[in-house]
Each structure stands twice: as C-alpha cells, then as structure tokens.
Amino acid sequence: MSNAQDPLAPLGALPGVAEAVESVRKATDRLYGHRVMRRRSSEVSAEAALRGARGSAALDGADWGLEEVRRRSDFGTESEARTVGAALRVTAEAGQLLDVWRQSPLRVLARLHLVAAGGDAARDTVGRPRLAGEPVDEPGGPGPALPDAAEVSARLDGLAELVVAGSAAPALVTAAVVHGELLTLRPFGSYNGVVARAAERVVLVGSGLDPKAVCPSEVGHAEAGAEAYGRGLAGYASGTPAGMAEWIAHCGRAVELGVRESTAVCEAMQRGAA
C-alpha cells in the first residue's frame, strides 16, 4: 500500500515516533515475558481493565482511589459515580468488539457510547453522532474548539475508512490517531473521553501489540496528568508534524506507564500479595 493510499504510514517517520514505537515494543515484550504472565495472564488482564477504567474516569474528573472503584457497586447516582460506572462498563465492553471494529468501527463507537450512557440510554442522542446544534455535555476534558456536526460526520467516515482499509503504520500510531481524532471531534453529546480511550485500547489489543489487554494506556494518561494530556491533544489537533509526533509520543509514554503498572501487579502476584 502506497503512502497515498495509506495516510497513516508517513506518521511513523516523524521525528521521535520510531523511537517511541520501539520503546513501547520493548516494554510490552518485557511484560509478556514475565513468569506470572505464563500462568496468570487472565488475572493480570482483569486487574489491568479495572485500573484502566479508574484512570479513564480520573481524566474526566472522577479521580477515585483504586479500592473505592473495586468495592463500589452503585454507579448510577451522582456525577462522579456515573463517570466511573461508564468507564468500567466501556472498558469491559471494548474487549468484546475487536472483530466488529475491523469491519465497522462506527458501529463499535456507537455501541461504546450506548454502554457508557447506561441509564441515559433511552435518550435519542445516545449511540449516534451529534446533530447540528446539539451540545456536548461532559466534564471539561481537553480539546480545541468544537467542530460542527458536518465536519464530525465527514471525519468520522474518513476515520472508519482508514480503520477498515488497514495500515502499515505501527499499532501505536494507529491507536494514537484514533484516540486523538475522537477527542478532537467529540462526536457524541457525552462520554467522548471514555469512548476515545476505549477505542485506543481496542486498537492496541486488536493489532496484536497487546493481545491479552494487559497494558492499560488509560493508567498512563491519568498518571501523566490532565495538563500533559491536553497539551498532547492540542498538538494532534494542530495537524502539524511536530504536534502529531508529540501526541504519538505521549500515547507511547502512556502505554509504557500502563506496562509499569501491570508489571507491578505481576510482581505482587509473584510475592503472593495479590
């Protein structure tokens, strides 16, 4: 596939991107080589999902402790609880949609938004991109000026075409573009951040970079902080080579921090503390 047919491929040649891709690959290889992963990978995956959901919710203003997320069962009351519940549901659902993503990414995004909305699912704005004049009502996540509905529709179609066509670009590059595009467009009336971060997870898992879903990038995005997250997204939204490279590198660091989190989980399991 030529660069003209594969617009993501040139991003892999941006300054610093190849280094970020290689660093992520080495980090994931080390985690997958851990002796605990050979026997208890399903437990590590479950813990990574929980911690990833906690991180995703934290970026949307619901910064709960891990044990609070673990013990709670009621997520349908106040705003922070709904945000945490949305993140937990979407993270769990994302793993069931890998095959559908390759054929119909817009269907997956609609499903993720429906799952995130939970008790609000009966509203006619749920599970579809926003129409002209419809607001975005969600915590003050990072982002540029809100694109209009026509631009959202056109760019979502373009993103879907890229996903279905496939790309020779590294998985990190594709995941970063999917994440950045969704956060820039904010196509839904709510829960765009949760959906965008889950879509990044789908790409990383479905690409084979993290097939067992044990590298929760959401943890890394949260650990880096909302300010760094916003700066990286602004770089993506600028469309400049430097800005795109900054965002891809930011996403790479987030994956590496997620790897570090799951490595700590493996170490704790090995010591018999988890």
Side-chain angles (χ1 to χ4, degrees):
M1 183 180 290
S2 70
N3 284 355
Q5 296 170 312
D6 184 2
L8 298 185
L11 299 179
L14 292 175
V17 170
E19 292 84 353
V21 168
E22 180 65 11
S23 184
V24 166
R25 186 192 64 78
K26 288 181 178 178
T28 56
D29 284 352
R30 285 195 299 271
L31 173 58
Y32 273 80
H34 197 286
R35 63 188 301 177
V36 168
M37 286 292 296
R38 294 195 291 271
R39 305 187 309 274
R40 302 175 67 181
S41 64
S42 61
E43 295 173 65
V44 180
S45 179
E47 190 66 20
L50 182 71
R51 293 173 186 232
R54 193 215 72 82
S56 190
L59 283 166
D60 280 350
D63 191 3
W64 289 13
L66 182 63
E67 294 311 313
E68 175 74 359
V69 176
R70 199 188 302 278
R71 74 173 183 80
R72 284 284 290 267
S73 58
D74 175 18
F75 299 103
T77 52
E78 44 88 27
S79 175
E80 287 194 7
R82 290 198 302 272
T83 298
V84 174
L88 287 166
R89 292 190 299 271
V90 165
T91 300
E93 185 73 9
Q96 312 302 315
L97 300 173
L98 297 175
D99 290 338
V100 182
W101 173 260
R102 298 183 184 100
Q103 300 173 1
S104 183
L106 297 186
R107 181 179 161 196
V108 169
L109 295 175
R111 174 61 184 170
L112 290 175
H113 187 245
L114 183 69
V115 168
D120 296 330
R123 294 168 53 190
D124 64 3
T125 58
V126 170
R128 63 157 175 81
R130 54 188 170 82
L131 303 177
E134 291 182 343
V136 173
D137 179 19
E138 61 185 354
L146 193 67
D148 64 30
E151 181 180 353
V152 168
S153 178
R155 287 175 63 172
L156 278 178
D157 286 344
L159 183 64
E161 289 172 7
L162 286 175
V163 171
V164 172
S167 174
L172 174 64
V173 171
T174 303
V177 168
V178 167
H179 185 169
E181 189 72 357
L182 291 174
L183 268 185
T184 299
L185 294 177
R186 284 164 290 170
F188 301 109
S190 58
Y191 298 114
N192 288 292
V194 168
V195 169
R197 291 182 287 274
E200 180 183 52
R201 169 183 283 264
V202 168
V203 175
L204 293 172
V205 173
S207 68
L209 177 65
D210 180 24
K212 295 184 178 180
V214 293
C215 306
S217 57
E218 307 97 321
V219 169
H221 287 302
E223 186 171 333
E227 185 177 342
Y229 193 53
R231 283 198 308 271
L233 179 60
Y236 175 87
S238 74
T240 65
M244 296 290 285
E246 179 185 359
W247 172 246
I248 294 167
H250 174 86
C251 290
R253 289 190 293 272
V255 175
E256 291 190 62
L257 288 170
V259 166
R260 187 177 71 179
E261 184 86 356
S262 286
T263 300
V265 169
C266 288
E267 293 294 329
M269 289 180 175
Q270 187 166 283
R271 294 192 303 269

